[in-house]
Amino acid sequence: MLESPLHEDHSLRFETNVFGESYLDGEKAVTVIFYDTTHKKVASFDFQVITKEEVYDLIEKGDSLNISNSYIKDFSLSEYRKLRQLDKHTRITLKDFSARGTFFDCNHEIDFSYADFEGEKTIFESSVFANGFVNFFNSDFGHGDVNFRKAKFGSGSTSFRSVKFGDGHITFNTANFGAGNLSFVDANFSNGNVDYKNTYFGDGTVDFKFAKFSSGDITFERASFGKGVKSFKNVEFGGGKIDFKRIDFNNGDVSFEGVEFGDGKVSFRGAVFGEGRKTFDRADFAHGEAQFDLVNFGKGTISFNQAYATNISFRGCHLDAYIDLRFGECHLLDMRSTIVRDILEVKPEGEKVVIKEMILADMRILGRLFIDWRGNDVYDLIYNQKNTSMFQKAEQFRILKENFRNNGQYEDEDAAYLEFRRCEAKANLQDALSKRGIKAVNAYPIYYFQKYVFDYVGRYATAPTRVLLNAMLAVVLYALIFYSFTEFFPQIGTIASTLPSELSRVHDFWNSIYYSAITFSTVGYGDYFAEGYLKIFAACEGFTGIFLMSYFTVAFVRKILR
């Protein structure tokens, strides 16, 4: 079995020395010497030589095929069909196939196309495929286990296009696909677990388009790619767990467009992307949890446009590039502790965006978050959160308020600021009630006083018109008090006048309105004045006037200056 630095090197440089008189266990032998990129020798192995004709004879007889630890040159099932005068699409049965530690050499191609592998296991563990084209097109691995663990591929392209894998365990763990293109297009992985852990996927294009996985778990943990295009477009995953944790996608475009992830948990936690476009457009994460926590998305655009997700998390990510999170539907979008350094797009433009909960706690926006208060139903995005406290909701509204101001969305800024202050007040109420003593006793009076004075009257200085209407209401209410006392309870208090009796109108309601107005505005002409207990109300109205006029000035100037 080949256990050496050979598997760590993405290139495959070797030479063979065939000794006609050399034998290994009584069979003709070949020595294969492997070199690194500097042409330094890294390993050499001796193999028994098996000719392709000998293998063809075993296939024809229907015998078991154990060619482990052997050297075979130019093996080709296409050539086998031609020699046996079979149709080029005739399926060839390979029974109990084992090629553990085998070296497949070739001038142009190693061909296993249209093969039917029969038996409990198909083994290519630690096998080496030379630098030609490796072709498993339309092969069927039956229902047994398939083992390509630590297999090493050369610089040619490798095709598993339209291959059918069975219900057994399928492993490419620690395989190295070298420098060529790799295709699993339209491959069917059935119900078995699929293991690509620690696999190197080659420097060329890696294509899984239209591949289908069923109920088994799939792991790509710690796998790495070269700089070619990586396409998982329209892949169908089943109900098993899907693991892309700590994977290195390197530079180059990565596409998961239209992928159906099934109902299993999907994790990209700690994955690293390089330069290039990262596309998850119209991907369907179904009912499972999708986790992108601590992912490094690198440079280039990231898009989840019109994707569907039930629960998707980007916690702790540093978003240094443009990211489009305009989901077609998303129940929970968790952005806690995320740092946005570029543009994060959530605002609908043309197509509808449906996000029901969006958690922004501890988020830092150093770039821009494009979101619309009404178009994105921001009020519901925050208040629908079931697992965040009022303090956290207040902090999220504060973050949005600052972002809206930076974006020039001043109406949205006011709406976010209002909800920030409301959540802050409720959080302070809850905190006070949780304590004993005077703080708990005063909690409700303080809360409702602030709710009326700061919120109801002027929406925390965001609504000058509302302040003005409350000022007018105060003038009318005080006028009713003055008029009622003067008419019905003059012994308690009344409005008196310095004017001659024929000019005085203290018993006229509209005169009470006039007196209330000049008292509210603290003009004080001296033609009318309060007596008795009405002096207390007059003093209160003067203070109310000063407060509301100042409140109006602040709110009005704030609106105008922006």
Side-chain angles (χ1 to χ4, degrees):
M1 188 179 298
L2 305 182
E3 300 287 350
S4 73
L6 166 67
H7 291 274
E8 304 298 327
D9 195 343
H10 303 327
S11 62
L12 183 61
R13 296 172 176 83
F14 66 93
E15 64 180 31
T16 59
N17 294 321
V18 180
F19 304 102
E21 302 299 326
S22 295
Y23 291 87
L24 185 66
D25 295 332
E27 300 290 339
K28 188 177 179 181
V30 62
T31 299
V32 182
I33 304 172
F34 298 94
Y35 301 91
D36 62 15
T37 54
T38 63
H39 207 68
K40 179 181 178 181
K41 178 180 175 180
V42 294
S44 66
F45 298 93
D46 294 328
F47 299 92
Q48 293 178 348
V49 175
I50 299 179
T51 65
K52 58 184 179 181
E53 288 78 14
E54 291 175 317
V55 180
Y56 295 163
D57 288 341
L58 293 174
I59 294 172
E60 190 168 23
K61 293 176 183 178
D63 292 345
S64 296
L65 290 169
N66 187 346
I67 56 174
S68 296
N69 301 309
S70 300
Y71 173 91
I72 181 170
K73 181 74 177 287
D74 291 329
F75 176 83
S76 172
L77 290 182
S78 293
E79 182 185 57
Y80 172 83
R81 295 184 189 91
K82 187 175 181 180
L83 291 173
R84 269 53 176 183
Q85 297 182 343
L86 301 173
D87 183 80
K88 63 181 181 179
H89 294 155
T90 300
R91 305 197 66 84
I92 306 301
T93 300
L94 305 181
K95 186 176 180 182
D96 297 324
F97 189 89
S98 178
R100 181 180 275 111
T102 299
F103 189 94
F104 291 93
D105 199 358
C106 69
N107 290 325
H108 301 289
E109 180 180 16
I110 302 162
D111 181 15
F112 283 89
S113 63
Y114 292 96
D116 286 335
F117 293 88
E118 289 187 356
E120 294 182 359
K121 295 181 179 180
T122 299
I123 301 172
F124 285 91
E125 183 175 358
S126 294
S127 288
V128 179
F129 297 87
N131 292 321
F133 176 42
V134 181
N135 185 14
F136 282 86
F137 175 72
N138 224 332
S139 292
D140 188 339
F141 285 91
H143 297 285
D145 295 342
V146 179
N147 185 354
F148 278 86
R149 183 177 180 271
K150 289 196 173 182
K152 169 68 177 174
F153 295 79
S155 60
S157 296
T158 302
S159 175
F160 287 86
R161 186 182 180 97
S162 301
V163 165
K164 293 182 180 179
F165 296 93
D167 298 328
H169 182 64
I170 302 151
T171 179
F172 287 85
N173 190 305
T174 326
N176 189 323
F177 286 101
N181 296 331
L182 173 63
S183 175
F184 281 89
V185 172
D186 202 34
N188 190 331
F189 289 87
S190 195
N191 295 312
N193 294 333
V194 182
D195 181 7
Y196 285 102
K197 190 174 182 179
N198 295 308
T199 297
Y200 179 75
F201 281 96
D203 293 325
T205 298
V206 179
D207 197 348
F208 276 82
K209 281 199 300 284
F210 303 106
K212 294 176 182 166
F213 298 81
S214 292
S215 59
D217 293 339
I218 302 120
T219 179
F220 287 81
E221 184 177 0
R222 292 184 180 273
S224 57
F225 291 81
K227 297 181 180 180
V229 173
K230 280 73 70 173
S231 178
F232 291 81
K233 187 175 181 179
N234 296 117
V235 169
E236 294 180 22
F237 291 100
K241 184 172 65 174
I242 305 164
D243 187 355
F244 285 92
K245 290 198 297 285
R246 292 175 287 184
I247 195 169
D248 183 1
F249 284 101
N250 210 316
N251 295 332
D253 293 348
V254 181
S255 176
F256 284 84
E257 183 179 352
V259 169
E260 296 182 16
F261 282 98
D263 294 331
K265 180 179 179 181
V266 182
S267 179
F268 284 81
R269 182 181 176 88
V272 177
F273 294 83
E275 296 183 9
R277 293 176 296 176
K278 280 71 71 173
T279 306
F280 291 82
D281 291 349
R282 303 189 186 280
D284 186 353
F285 292 91
H287 301 291
E289 178 185 354
Q291 189 179 80
F292 287 83
D293 298 346
L294 302 174
V295 168
N296 182 348
F297 283 101
K299 297 180 179 179
T301 60
I302 307 111
S303 178
F304 288 80
N305 192 277
Q306 293 301 300
Y308 174 90
T310 300
N311 183 340
I312 190 166
S313 171
F314 294 87
R315 297 179 69 167
C317 289
H318 287 213
L319 303 177
D320 299 331
Y322 173 84
I323 180 167
D324 183 349
L325 296 182
R326 289 176 292 182
F327 286 89
E329 184 173 350
C330 179
H331 290 245
L332 173 60
L333 175 58
D334 191 345
M335 304 292 293
R336 276 178 278 200
S337 302
T338 299
I339 299 177
V340 178
R341 298 182 185 275
D342 200 285
I343 293 175
L344 195 160
E345 183 81 65
V346 183
K347 185 177 180 179
E349 291 183 7
E351 295 180 300
K352 188 175 182 181
V353 176
V354 180
I355 302 175
K356 296 183 179 179
E357 295 180 50
M358 184 175 178
I359 303 177
L360 306 175
D362 300 318
M363 188 180 194
R364 295 177 61 190
I365 303 177
L366 306 179
R368 292 285 189 272
L369 166 60
F370 289 118
I371 187 170
D372 184 79
W373 183 267
R374 295 174 182 80
N376 291 106
D377 296 322
V378 173
Y379 180 93
D380 291 333
L381 288 183
I382 307 300
Y383 280 112
N384 283 344
Q385 296 170 14
K386 302 177 181 65
N387 298 315
T388 56
S389 66
M390 275 296 166
F391 276 117
Q392 290 175 317
K393 289 180 173 65
E395 176 64 11
Q396 292 174 72
F397 280 119
R398 187 197 64 77
I399 291 170
L400 287 169
K401 178 253 183 188
E402 296 295 329
N403 179 74
F404 287 137
R405 183 181 63 186
N406 293 335
N407 291 348
Q409 297 171 257
Y410 298 122
E411 293 300 323
D412 291 350
E413 179 195 357
D414 286 347
Y417 177 67
L418 176 60
E419 297 308 323
F420 157 60
R421 296 305 301 267
R422 285 173 171 174
C423 289
E424 185 180 50
K426 291 177 182 177
N428 290 332
L429 173 63
Q430 293 172 355
D431 183 59
L433 291 174
S434 67
K435 301 175 181 178
R436 297 181 180 180
I438 192 67
K439 285 189 176 181
V441 173
N442 292 336
Y444 278 112
I446 292 174
Y447 172 74
Y448 283 110
F449 173 78
Q450 292 178 340
K451 184 176 179 64
Y452 175 77
V453 173
F454 299 122
D455 189 347
Y456 176 78
V457 171
R459 295 290 190 257
Y460 291 95
T462 63
T465 303
R466 192 178 183 91
V467 180
L468 186 61
L469 290 174
N470 274 279
M472 295 171 63
L473 178 62
V475 170
V476 173
L477 289 176
Y478 276 108
L480 286 172
I481 293 172
F482 296 142
Y483 179 77
S484 297
F485 273 80
T486 301
E487 281 296 307
F488 306 111
F489 308 102
Q491 67 276 15
I492 297 176
T494 186
I495 298 298
S497 176
T498 59
L499 298 174
S501 58
E502 64 272 14
L503 297 177
S504 176
R505 298 175 180 173
V506 294
H507 296 288
D508 187 347
F509 174 73
W510 293 108
N511 193 73
S512 295
I513 292 286
Y514 163 74
Y515 175 70
S516 178
I518 62 174
T519 303
F520 180 91
S521 59
T522 66
V523 174
Y525 290 120
D527 49 352
Y528 293 95
F529 59 93
E531 290 185 331
Y533 286 102
L534 281 188
K535 290 181 178 181
I536 298 173
F537 288 98
C540 289
E541 184 176 14
F543 175 79
T544 301
I546 293 172
F547 173 77
L548 288 179
M549 285 189 292
S550 300
Y551 200 177
F552 172 77
T553 302
V554 170
F556 182 75
V557 170
R558 182 171 177 271
K559 286 280 189 182
I560 294 299
L561 289 182
R562 288 189 311 183

